[in-house]
Amino acid sequence: MARRPFTPKVITANALLEGDVVYFTAADVWTRHLAEAEILTDEAHADLRLLDAARQADQVVGPYLADMAEGADGPQPTHFREEFRRTGPSNYFHGKQAEH
Amino acid sequence: MYRYNDFDAAFLAERNAQFRAQVARRIDGSLTEDEFKPLRLMNGLYLQLHAYMLRVAIPYGTLGSAQMRQLAMIADRWDKGYGHFTTRQNIQYNWPKLPDVPDILDALAEVQLHAIQTSGNTIRNVTADHFAGAARDEIEDPRPVAELIRQWSTDHPEFQFLPRKFKIAVTGSPRDRAVTRAHDIGLRMVRNAAGEPGFEVLVGGGLGRTPMIAKVIRDFLPKADLLPYLEAIVSVYNLLGRRDNKYKARIKITVHENGIDTVREKVEARFAQLRPLFSGVDQQMLDGIEAQFAPPAFRNAPVDLFEAAYQTDPVFRAWADVNLTPHKAEGYAIVSISLKKHGATPGDATSAQMRVMADLAERFGHDELRVSHEQNIVLPHVHKSDLPALYRALRDADLATANIGLASDIIACPGMDYCALATARSIPVAQEIARRFEDMKLEHDIGPLKIKISGCINACGHHHVGHIGILGLDRAGVENYQITLGGDGTEDAAIGSRTGPGFAYDEITDAIERILMAYLDLRSDPGETFLQAYRRVGADPFKAALYEAPAEETREPAHA
């Protein structure tokens, strides 16, 4: 079976103290804003960056690579789960949608 | 209600202090997340999609006014001003911050509440009939037994690391309002030939990816044998239950793979060993607990005010017809307060609503509230003369929706709006269905109906036992909803049958409408419920309506 091509990704996690959805930037810091996340297009580099992110376990919980598309305004979620994580719940104006 | 003794209070204080230290060690880096995760889960703390979630036990669904007010205070001080009542008689806070959780647990302890064993592979919060102590059809109040089980199971050294989570439900009535047949152990109070109360013991029920109805392991268990028999069951499960595959680890699989006869044989053998070790202290404790659950002092008073309002106020009458249940005491009623206002999130209450319900319980309800597994709140003991005033107060607080047991009284798990395990959303689907039937003014005509929605195969929304069940799944990156029909969570429990291919998010409400329009056409008379009609005619006419009829043709109500 042919290996699936690597698609663009960002590293995301939840902040240790607040539980907020956070994204890893190219400057090795965590941001609440997806637009500021480092977009990873090379698989080997992505794996290395995930190791870098995992080393910051005093700040975050559960970092992982999330699929994204490259858009004019930065990374865009390709799956509805990441879209909900980017915005917040459907039933209340809570979470990130209320913070901007 | 059960009141903590000195041991209970000291135990909880010590436990909270331990967790406070564990949180501090996680924050200062002394504990890794792998080390900390099992510790936080043992204290009900999850990490969900957008934030932490704290699951607080409401043992057997019973709350006093002071406890409800404290839940409201916590919602205001450490969350976003609301709480979510769940199908397992818990309340969940969706937005706590990790450093605040020890303070929240201390605030809970002030009113004798906790979050212990609301997560993890252990015996979870014991649930019970939400009408316990009030229902006219009851043999005995099951809550003293549920409290005894809580005390026995809390921090039980043998049962902290079971193969998987373990859920026990108790009912004292022949009518099963606790879904006992879908629990790991279900206890149904019955009488033997001599008229003595005891339990029919059911084992191996459960929903999730492999739904199963529990099997009878004992037709009649004397009350005095309850704890040693429960210990025997859990002990055998602890030994036999599979740990190689978490999807096959629940006791339902143990019963399925070994057979109920083999499991019964092993349980009886273990019971024979354990029985002599229970010296009777458990029964002395039960006596003390039962005394604390003595019924309130019911008053003898005329019900003229109720009768007058019922005759003259059609809106009050509509609410009373749907939201009241007969009470065992003359002149009293059980009041169900709907947390399912059309378009609202099923099971959510604001802190202001919690305080209103606490005040009303204090004024009219002998200081008692219950959380139902159907995500509503119950005032179990209200004199009928107080009902008009109670209704007005509920109406002012947006809590007087007359839809208990109807199409919009939907159980819905949090789904992908909150839950890290979910694969699709539940809440907006429930909201849209409820709004649709409110717009069509059809749900009173449709009558008793259980719609239940889960956002993943774990089935927290009990969709398998919904008359209409909806299961949200991820199909190639798109939310998709499968429908099951004919499920039943009562004493006649049944698992619903899947109708066929699922529906897209924007198709599912139309699909449910087509099923219910078909029901209105198919029913033999207005008294035949959806479930009765389904059992009479089978699935085919509903499948035909679902998959063959164009949506446009079914939008006009056939029986409006």
Side-chain angles (χ1 to χ4, degrees):
Chain A
M1 185 184 289
R3 195 153 180 247
R4 292 175 64 187
F6 185 79
T7 53
K9 293 180 174 43
V10 301
I11 296 169
T12 181
N14 288 80
L16 171 65
L17 298 183
E18 300 88 358
D20 290 1
V21 174
V22 291
Y23 304 98
F24 203 46
T25 70
D28 282 1
V29 296
W30 295 92
T31 175
R32 262 65 175 169
H33 307 291
L34 178 57
E36 296 168 2
E38 178 186 18
I39 192 147
L40 304 162
T41 54
D42 176 79
E43 186 168 10
H45 181 60
D47 289 342
L48 284 173
R49 292 297 289 155
L50 186 58
L51 289 173
D52 291 339
R55 275 194 281 273
Q56 300 195 9
D58 57 335
Q59 296 179 52
V60 298
V61 180
Y64 65 94
L65 293 163
D67 282 318
M68 295 284 154
E70 292 182 85
D73 299 324
Q76 299 295 316
T78 57
H79 190 279
F80 56 89
R81 185 177 192 274
E82 290 305 326
E83 180 59 27
F84 299 149
R85 290 182 79 243
R86 177 172 75 158
T87 52
S90 304
N91 59 334
Y92 299 119
F93 192 64
H94 286 165
K96 289 185 175 297
Q97 60 198 331
E99 292 163 6
H100 301 300
Chain B
M1 278 178 58
Y2 179 73
R3 300 284 173 208
Y4 279 13
N5 58 29
D6 290 346
F7 174 86
D8 297 325
F11 171 82
L12 206 48
E14 175 70 17
R15 175 69 177 248
N16 287 354
Q18 284 175 357
F19 188 58
R20 183 178 292 277
Q22 289 159 356
V23 169
R25 286 157 62 205
R26 173 66 181 101
I27 292 172
D28 75 16
S30 308
L31 287 177
T32 66
E33 184 61 21
D34 285 346
E35 291 165 333
F36 179 64
K37 185 177 178 182
L39 302 174
R40 67 170 160 81
L41 290 177
M42 289 171 81
N43 291 280
L45 186 62
Y46 290 74
L47 185 53
Q48 296 282 56
L49 214 56
H50 313 289
Y52 287 97
M53 179 272 279
L54 182 67
R55 179 180 293 153
V56 177
I58 300 174
Y60 33 91
T62 293
L63 277 175
S65 298
Q67 292 174 315
M68 184 66 108
R69 285 196 191 94
Q70 192 80 334
L71 296 179
M73 185 280 286
I74 290 169
D76 280 337
R77 183 166 176 189
W78 289 297
D79 207 89
K80 292 185 185 291
Y82 71 100
H84 176 73
F85 292 97
T86 78
T87 55
R88 298 219 71 258
Q89 297 180 314
N90 300 302
I91 184 171
Q92 294 181 173
Y93 293 105
N94 285 319
W95 304 93
K97 295 181 181 2
L98 178 61
D100 294 334
V101 174
D103 290 340
I104 298 174
L105 294 179
D106 281 348
L108 290 168
E110 286 174 13
V111 293
Q112 309 188 348
L113 289 171
H114 61 75
I116 296 170
Q117 293 183 199
T118 58
S119 179
N121 293 336
T122 185
I123 298 173
R124 300 288 188 90
N125 184 37
V126 179
T127 55
D129 180 358
H130 44 264
F131 294 161
R136 190 171 282 180
D137 57 14
E138 186 171 87
I139 296 170
E140 273 187 23
D141 186 341
R143 291 174 302 156
V145 160
E147 172 59 29
L148 185 70
I149 297 170
R150 184 181 77 95
Q151 293 190 19
W152 159 77
S153 62
T154 299
D155 249 14
H156 192 302
E158 190 179 340
F159 303 141
Q160 294 308 299
F161 297 97
L162 293 169
R164 279 285 276 139
K165 58 187 171 182
F166 200 89
K167 300 173 180 176
I168 301 175
V170 196
T171 176
S173 294
R175 291 281 310 278
D176 187 354
R177 289 175 287 263
V179 208
T180 58
R181 290 180 187 276
H183 279 75
D184 296 299
I185 293 179
L187 298 170
R188 295 183 60 236
M189 194 168 280
V190 293
R191 289 188 189 281
N192 64 9
E196 297 157 337
F199 292 100
E200 179 188 61
V201 184
L202 302 144
V203 168
L207 302 177
R209 71 170 60 210
T210 314
M212 290 187 182
I213 299 298
K215 295 179 172 62
V216 177
I217 191 166
R218 256 290 188 115
D219 290 322
F220 184 82
L221 182 75
K223 278 176 70 178
D225 289 341
L226 183 64
L227 284 196
Y229 201 79
L230 290 183
E231 187 146 322
I233 294 172
V234 187
S235 171
V236 167
Y237 165 60
N238 209 9
L239 194 66
L240 279 188
R242 290 180 59 169
R243 294 171 193 269
D244 60 320
N245 182 340
K246 69 179 283 192
Y247 303 115
K248 295 186 176 182
R250 297 292 292 271
I251 195 173
K252 62 189 174 187
I253 305 297
T254 309
V255 171
H256 180 71
E257 291 187 344
N258 292 273
I260 185 65
D261 293 334
T262 300
V263 173
R264 182 185 296 113
E265 193 178 306
K266 290 182 182 298
V267 167
E268 292 290 341
R270 181 69 179 139
F271 173 63
Q273 293 172 334
L274 287 169
R275 187 67 194 90
L277 305 179
F278 280 73
S279 61
V281 173
D282 56 325
Q283 293 306 297
Q284 291 169 20
M285 290 177 66
L286 181 61
D287 289 344
I289 293 168
E290 280 177 339
Q292 298 193 51
F293 283 92
F298 296 122
R299 71 180 196 267
N300 202 350
V303 295
D304 302 4
L305 280 174
F306 169 74
E307 296 295 348
Y310 191 83
Q311 295 302 327
T312 59
D313 181 348
V315 181
F316 172 75
R317 183 166 63 240
W319 174 81
D321 283 345
V322 173
N323 290 35
L324 301 184
T325 304
H327 195 282
K328 63 167 65 169
E330 192 64 34
Y332 275 75
I334 301 168
V335 177
S336 293
I337 301 172
S338 174
L339 297 184
K340 317 281 181 60
K341 183 186 175 186
H342 300 97
T345 302
D348 276 12
T350 66
S351 54
Q353 289 175 325
M354 289 186 220
R355 290 191 183 94
V356 167
M357 292 187 284
D359 291 348
L360 293 174
E362 211 164 52
R363 254 176 90 193
F364 299 122
H366 298 275
D367 204 20
E368 275 199 46
L369 304 109
R370 305 286 171 72
V371 180
S372 80
H373 83 268
E374 293 179 314
Q375 300 180 289
N376 294 312
I377 301 295
V378 174
L379 302 182
H381 313 296
V382 181
H383 195 273
K384 287 184 174 179
S385 61
D386 292 327
L387 287 171
L390 173 73
Y391 171 74
R392 286 192 296 273
L394 289 173
R395 193 186 54 197
D396 293 345
D398 231 4
L399 287 167
T401 306
N403 66 344
I404 296 294
L406 303 181
S408 60
D409 185 10
I410 298 169
I411 288 179
C413 72
M416 195 177 268
D417 281 308
Y418 295 91
C419 178
L421 299 176
T423 48
R425 288 174 296 172
S426 301
I427 292 168
V429 174
Q431 290 173 308
E432 183 60 26
I433 293 171
R435 281 194 207 100
R436 173 72 60 85
F437 285 95
E438 168 71 352
D439 291 346
M440 297 172 76
K441 303 297 178 201
L442 266 183
E443 63 177 336
H444 286 266
D445 193 17
I446 291 167
L449 180 70
K450 307 284 189 192
I451 301 177
K452 302 176 194 277
I453 306 173
S454 301
C456 76
I457 56 171
N458 293 308
C460 294
H462 294 185
H463 66 276
H464 293 296
V465 291
H467 303 166
I468 299 174
I470 302 172
L471 167 61
L473 295 169
D474 176 348
R475 285 278 178 264
V478 176
E479 290 168 292
N480 186 272
Y481 296 86
Q482 291 179 353
I483 294 174
T484 54
L485 296 176
D488 183 0
T490 71
E491 59 280 4
D492 302 317
I495 302 295
S497 300
R498 194 180 148 196
T499 55
F503 295 86
Y505 177 79
D506 59 1
E507 296 171 340
I508 185 65
T509 303
D510 288 339
I512 300 303
E513 184 185 323
R514 291 200 294 279
I515 292 171
L516 291 176
M517 288 305 173
Y519 154 68
L520 291 174
D521 285 338
L522 286 164
R523 68 184 179 185
S524 58
D525 63 75
E528 186 180 47
T529 65
F530 175 84
L531 191 58
Q532 290 166 341
Y534 175 83
R535 286 175 173 169
R536 178 173 57 81
V537 304
D540 287 346
F542 295 101
K543 288 184 184 176
L546 256 181
Y547 295 107
E548 292 169 19
E552 306 80 64
E553 293 177 13
T554 63
R555 292 305 296 271
E556 278 302 310
H559 294 261

